[in-house]
Amino acid sequence: MGQPIGLASLEVKILKQMQEQDTVILGIETSCDETSAAVLVGGRELRSHIISSQVATHQKYGGVVPEVASREHILHIGEVVEQALAEAEVSFKDLTAVAVTYGPGLVGSLLVGVAFAKALAYAAGIPLIAVNHLEGHVYANFLEHEDLEFPLLALLASGGHTNLLLFQDHLDYRVLGRTRDDAAGEAFDKVARALGLGYPGGPYIQKAAATGNPKAFEFPRAMLEAGSLDFSFSGLKSAVLNTLNTAKMKGQELNTNDLAASFQEAVIDVLVKKALLALEHYPVKTFALAGGVAANTLLRESLARELSLRRIRFVYPSPVFCTDNGAMIAMAGHYRFLAGNYASWKLNAVPGLSL
Ligand code: KG4
Ligand code: ZN
């Protein structure tokens, strides 16, 4: 008598489930100015999450100094990984795989994480998983929302990138739109600098904007050609800088909070309008926000309002998972591991990696 039909596929399914539940992934992130490591069990349970931030070091320069960032990563990577393993109560022998950001980012910073992850995975005899930092940002949403349904649209807005993405399934996505010049977060940082606020600019602009009038200044909203899902923020940034320079030449004092509020509203207006345009083209049921700018309250509230009117599920990560972190890399690494997508020992940092 032959085997009952479907038994083999049932076994495969059970095996897959066991594999999914058993994974112990160490995620390492060093692409910019945060040294971070996290241990994720079964793609669900975040056992530990350590972030050593260099923000205070770079603040006095008004931005990240690449050479300083690499040195800081070298100083901290060992203790950050050790602490992540200790808090998760696992040794490196318990790990299933090591996932690491290999791009995009600062080459010296990326190399520290990549070299460390390679050595650890090699010594433990386990797979090395290469994670695209931008993909990681979107996967931050899976840390807190287990039952996200595909297809989903994602808006990724960070310091270096602004993208609209359509995900058909795990790891199966395409770019619908991207910025043609400055990223949204970059605009926040440059305008904050011009206003004499701190670094990184986003949280400072948000704070100043809270008591400012968003209608005080009329700044441009670049929508580009009809139907385009691309972004452009350099014109808006220049408009703020021109307003400041003109006032300076005339000896006028401008209200910083009003400037911050008017600028912030212009950025958020464009992000929200483009998100809604993408939804018209691709009517999905789930919309995910990601990247450092996703921590912005006005952006979250504006999207929440618009998406609830359209009965679309709206998710975004907690602020700690919006900015750079190892947990999101572990989560993306978990899915890459399940897909058998292992990196070679020749893995190198790719600073200009795209999606
Ligand atoms: O994702 P991220 O930590 O690093 C990159 O991959 O670039 O994003 C950092 C960016 C910075 O430009 C920062 O100003 C911005 O995210 N950001 C914010 C807020 N918090 C961080 N932008 C607007 N509002 C915020 N609350
Ligand atoms: Zn990032």
Side-chain angles (χ1 to χ4, degrees), residues 29 31-32 104 133-134 137 156 158-161 291-292 322-325 328:
E29 157 64 37
S31 68
C32 190
H133 178 80
L134 306 174
H137 271 302
L156 164 63
S158 70
H161 296 80
C322 285
T323 43
D324 295 347
N325 66 87
M328 67 186 197

Side-chain angles (χ1 to χ4, degrees), residues 300-354:
R300 288 168 178 234
E301 287 173 358
S302 309
L303 274 175
R305 199 174 41 246
E306 295 295 337
L307 296 177
S308 91
L309 284 174
R310 291 163 178 78
R311 299 186 188 289
I312 291 164
R313 184 176 177 201
F314 176 44
V315 293
Y316 47 82
S318 297
V320 67
F321 300 126
C322 285
T323 43
D324 295 347
N325 66 87
M328 67 186 197
I329 303 305
M331 183 54 90
H334 169 80
Y335 285 101
R336 288 220 165 260
F337 172 77
L338 294 183
N341 204 315
Y342 306 161
S344 100
W345 298 119
K346 289 185 187 154
L347 178 70
N348 203 352
V350 183
L353 186 68
S354 59

Side-chain angles (χ1 to χ4, degrees), residues 36 51 125 186 195 286 294 314 340 354:
S36 180
I51 303 178
E186 189 179 355
L195 293 177
T286 313
F314 176 44
S354 59

Side-chain angles (χ1 to χ4, degrees), residues 155-158 161-164 183-185 188 221-223 231 233 264-278 287 289 293-294 296 299 302-303:
L155 171 63
L156 164 63
S158 70
H161 296 80
T162 307
N163 287 109
L164 270 163
F188 270 96
R221 277 101 164 125
M223 294 304 288
F231 300 89
F233 292 108
Q264 178 179 252
E265 192 168 87
V267 178
I268 304 308
D269 239 20
V270 173
L271 291 174
V272 172
K273 285 208 174 94
K274 293 279 176 175
L276 297 179
L277 184 60
F287 191 94
L289 195 56
V293 182
N296 186 275
L299 176 59
S302 309
L303 274 175

